[in-house]
Amino acid sequence: MKEITIHCRMAYPGHVAGKALVSHDSLGAWGAINPTTGVVTERDHPLHGQCIKDTILVFPSAKGSSAWGKTFQNIGYNKVAPKAMLVGKIDPRSALGAVTSHTTTATDFDVDPLTVIETGDWVDVDADHGIITVTKE
């Protein structure tokens, strides 16, 4: 096993761990993720058909409208939210999504997580202390 440490800034507090689900493409919310099931429904998206529930969701940025807040509020309410989000470039959409779903979220990394984290890696996100530990087997 190999461990990699990434330092970050907290966007929404918490300390969680889980398996990574990685997208190198921006992620939408309204019409792109089913708020009842947590399944990515955006056609032609690399994560199409995959569920974000209980994952460490890693993606470069948000796209789409300001409906991120409402969509992620429903995702949180329906208990299909990711455990954490690692967002390369956070903006008001993804920040509002984190807050409304109460999802631990980190940004401003010293190492781009998209270059070291792969889907299936075990990722410990301690946003409270700004430390992410990636375990690769």
Side-chain angles (χ1 to χ4, degrees):
M1 275 192 242
K2 177 181 178 185
E3 283 193 355
I4 301 166
T5 301
I6 302 172
H7 296 90
C8 62
R9 181 176 60 85
M10 173 189 64
Y12 193 83
H15 186 174
V16 297
K19 287 195 174 190
L21 180 62
V22 179
S23 173
H24 291 273
D25 291 359
S26 297
L27 191 62
W30 183 258
I33 301 173
N34 182 314
T36 303
T37 64
V39 172
V40 176
T41 56
E42 180 182 346
R43 291 183 182 169
D44 299 325
H45 193 280
L47 298 183
H48 181 264
Q50 296 188 57
C51 186
I52 65 171
K53 180 183 185 212
D54 294 334
T55 65
I56 306 300
L57 186 59
V58 185
F59 59 102
S61 61
K63 68 178 178 181
S65 70
S66 60
W68 264 77
K70 184 63 176 171
T71 300
F72 269 76
Q73 180 182 27
N74 289 333
I75 285 169
Y77 176 79
N78 291 316
K79 300 187 184 335
V80 294
K83 288 183 177 181
M85 294 190 293
L86 306 182
V87 186
K89 183 177 180 187
I90 200 152
D91 68 0
R93 293 172 291 197
S94 49
L96 187 57
V99 171
T100 59
S101 65
H102 306 285
T103 300
T104 299
T105 302
T107 192
D108 293 342
F109 310 99
D110 66 344
V111 174
D112 181 356
L114 291 169
T115 64
V116 295
I117 301 174
E118 298 172 286
T119 294
D121 287 346
W122 187 258
V123 182
D124 184 288
V125 180
D126 185 351
D128 298 333
H129 294 100
I131 299 170
I132 298 166
T133 306
V134 181
T135 304
K136 297 180 150 305
E137 292 192 26

